[in-house]
Amino acid sequence: YWIISEILKSHLDISPEDGIEGMEEKIYTTILGYTPNKTEALEITHFVGNLMGLPLNDSPILKPYKDNPKLLQQLMFKSLVTLFTLSSRKTPLILVAEDIHWADPGTLDALTYVAMAIENAPVMILTTAREDQFYAKDTFCKNLPNFITVTLAPLSDKYSVRLVNEILVRVKEIPERLINQVIKKAEGNPYYIEEIIKDLIERNVISTTTETLPDGTSREKWFVKEETLMELVVPETLEGLIQTRIDRLPDTEKMLLQEASIVGRDFWDSV
């Protein structure tokens, strides 16, 4: 439920500095601002907190459902709906779930449950995904109420060139060969364009130097080693490109990156 957890952290204004007890208190206090029913607020807190991964193993509210994961999941999803419904009575909500082509099945189930159950509340669920990698699309989108798809076309060559020029604004003269190679490989994917250029910088195809200005200050200047472009090889896919960049890291940094990819962007000091 990582994506759902990130939505909740944003909605409830939770940060790693809050600590476990602080997060639980912040969830409870926020919900009390929506409903005067303390019993309901405490139940929502524990079900939502459990979904977010808070260690609530001793919770008397969760204990009866430990041996019934399906029922526990349903109650967690129901608490999500209650939380967003109560919140939307104060102000309309937009829930943003990015890159759901990487989402686990539980996250997609939660988003589907909320979308189906919260139909009459002023809540909009906005998701983004790469269609060619969203293998669960047909299942996820099936029967969703008020569902709209907005398809973003790849960048045209014109705008791809413009993006390359903006990223390499510090390069005085960008070789046409470099621009053509980047555009041909990226096929209109702006993220791929950025990653290719980062890769070229790491490989020293695009280098930096410092020049001194007339007023005595200095600035960084970029330049392209044109002789390296003749034998330039770029991985065929975005995933391959990123993997190549990871492979260049020292073993210690590579291991740290692998562990961080599991822990996520926000984590406690003990991790």
Side-chain angles (χ1 to χ4, degrees), residues 90-133:
K90 288 199 168 187
T91 182
L93 297 180
I94 298 179
L95 308 177
V96 181
E98 296 184 287
D99 296 330
I100 63 171
H101 53 278
W102 287 330
D104 58 275
T107 293
L108 297 179
D109 288 343
L111 288 171
T112 301
Y113 186 98
V114 172
M116 297 291 284
I118 211 166
E119 183 177 0
N120 296 319
V123 177
M124 178 186 198
I125 301 175
L126 176 63
T127 67
T128 65
R130 287 184 58 84
E131 190 171 18
D132 59 332
Q133 297 179 16

Side-chain angles (χ1 to χ4, degrees), residues 132-239:
D132 59 332
Q133 297 179 16
F134 191 19
Y135 305 116
K137 177 189 173 185
D138 292 339
T139 304
F140 174 69
C141 301
K142 188 177 181 180
N143 299 324
L144 285 181
N146 304 316
F147 179 78
I148 299 174
T149 299
V150 178
T151 302
L152 301 180
L155 291 179
S156 65
D157 286 353
K158 173 184 175 182
Y159 286 104
S160 293
V161 171
R162 181 174 173 179
L163 178 58
V164 171
N165 285 323
E166 288 181 357
I167 296 174
L168 297 178
V169 67
R170 295 181 184 177
V171 178
K172 189 173 182 180
E173 293 184 13
I174 306 174
E176 187 174 344
R177 177 188 290 273
L178 174 64
I179 294 176
N180 291 337
Q181 284 183 283
V182 171
I183 291 175
K184 181 179 179 181
K185 189 66 66 173
E187 296 182 336
N189 184 334
Y191 181 52
Y192 200 177
I193 291 175
E194 292 180 354
E195 289 300 318
I196 290 174
I197 292 176
K198 288 178 183 177
D199 176 63
L200 296 179
I201 292 173
E202 290 178 0
R203 292 160 63 180
N204 220 26
V205 174
I206 300 173
S207 297
T208 62
T209 185
T210 302
E211 64 176 353
T212 303
L213 301 177
D215 61 2
T217 60
S218 60
R219 70 177 179 184
E220 191 177 57
K221 183 180 179 181
W222 296 13
F223 63 94
V224 178
K225 296 181 178 179
E226 294 192 51
E227 66 275 10
T228 63
L229 298 179
M230 295 294 294
E231 300 178 358
L232 182 63
V233 177
V234 178
E236 291 296 325
T237 65
L238 178 58
E239 291 78 6

Side-chain angles (χ1 to χ4, degrees), residues 6 57 172 187 221 252 255 266:
E6 291 301 300
N57 298 328
K172 189 173 182 180
E187 296 182 336
K221 183 180 179 181
T252 302
M255 185 179 298
D266 299 329

Side-chain angles (χ1 to χ4, degrees), residues 37-57:
N37 190 328
K38 293 184 178 181
T39 300
E40 181 184 36
L42 188 61
E43 289 180 350
I44 295 174
T45 297
H46 282 228
F47 284 121
V48 168
N50 188 67
L51 185 146
M52 294 176 67
L54 295 185
L56 301 171
N57 298 328

Side-chain angles (χ1 to χ4, degrees), residues 19-21 23-24 49-50 52-59 62 268:
I20 296 173
E21 292 183 0
M23 290 175 66
E24 185 179 350
N50 188 67
M52 294 176 67
L54 295 185
L56 301 171
N57 298 328
D58 297 328
S59 166
L62 301 177
W268 291 285

